Amino acid sequence: MKHALAALPLLALLAACGKADGELEPGNWKNTMAMTKFDIPGAPPEVAARAKAMLGQSQTTEACMSEDEARAGVRTMSNSMQQGQCTMEDFKQGGGTMSGTLVCKGAGSFGAPKMAMTGTYTPTKVSMVMSGEMTDDKLPGGKASMEMTLTSERVGDCKK
């Protein structure tokens, strides 16, 4: 009971702000993903050049975030990366920062079986960095390391 009473001022403060920690603004969101690191130690020059050419290339999409999705917030946005046989483990958020580990069985959607995720968020912007290592006998040296950034930013109202 004491703990419940101690939490009341915090809940009142959050209610006064109008948004819970991690809650986002509904509307049209622009999502950009870019590879920022892709190293293959021991790769022949032509393979290393192809890996380097991938750096800086980005993919951008836009999507309308409903009020319910926005209220569900950062945790739900991070969980959306759980495609195929991938799950987000050890997810933590609070005070504008978040972290977790994306674990994929099989090849995985992102290429590495386990990727560390760190990020920041406000009600109108979410930024994440994901990094991990791949091991595969087909790779020169048997492994590669990669890092990518994912940025989602509210860019206006949803298009009708």
Side-chain angles (χ1 to χ4, degrees), residues 74-75 77-78 81 90-100 117-121 125-129 150:
V74 172
R75 176 178 290 275
M77 182 179 272
S78 297
M81 292 186 288
D90 304 323
F91 182 81
K92 294 178 183 121
Q93 78 171 67
T97 64
M98 61 184 167
S99 63
M117 182 275 294
T118 59
T120 60
Y121 59 88
K125 186 173 183 177
V126 178
S127 297
M128 295 181 230
V129 175
L150 297 107

Side-chain angles (χ1 to χ4, degrees), residues 8-152:
L8 286 176
L10 178 60
L11 292 173
L13 182 62
L14 288 174
C17 293
K19 298 225 175 288
D21 184 42
E23 194 170 324
L24 303 170
E25 290 285 331
N28 198 47
W29 283 68
K30 178 179 171 183
N31 307 295
T32 304
M33 182 172 74
M35 184 77 67
T36 54
K37 175 184 173 186
F38 193 56
D39 291 330
I40 308 172
E46 63 276 2
V47 173
R50 280 198 309 259
K52 190 174 184 175
M54 292 172 53
L55 301 180
Q57 294 182 11
S58 62
Q59 297 176 348
T60 302
T61 60
E62 286 192 26
C64 178
M65 184 182 299
S66 71
E67 287 187 31
D68 287 342
E69 291 167 325
R71 203 170 8 269
V74 172
R75 176 178 290 275
T76 299
M77 182 179 272
S78 297
N79 286 344
S80 70
M81 292 186 288
Q82 300 183 88
Q83 301 171 12
Q85 296 181 20
C86 297
T87 57
M88 183 64 74
E89 296 182 356
D90 304 323
F91 182 81
K92 294 178 183 121
Q93 78 171 67
T97 64
M98 61 184 167
S99 63
T101 305
L102 186 67
V103 179
C104 299
K105 294 179 182 163
S109 298
F110 292 98
K114 188 181 253 189
M115 296 190 76
M117 182 275 294
T118 59
T120 60
Y121 59 88
T122 68
T124 58
K125 186 173 183 177
V126 178
S127 297
M128 295 181 230
V129 175
M130 297 182 66
S131 59
E133 277 197 3
M134 300 181 266
T135 55
D136 190 327
D137 292 339
K138 296 175 191 139
L139 291 169
K143 67 179 179 178
S145 60
M146 61 188 295
E147 183 177 280
M148 64 181 72
T149 59
L150 297 107
T151 303
S152 297

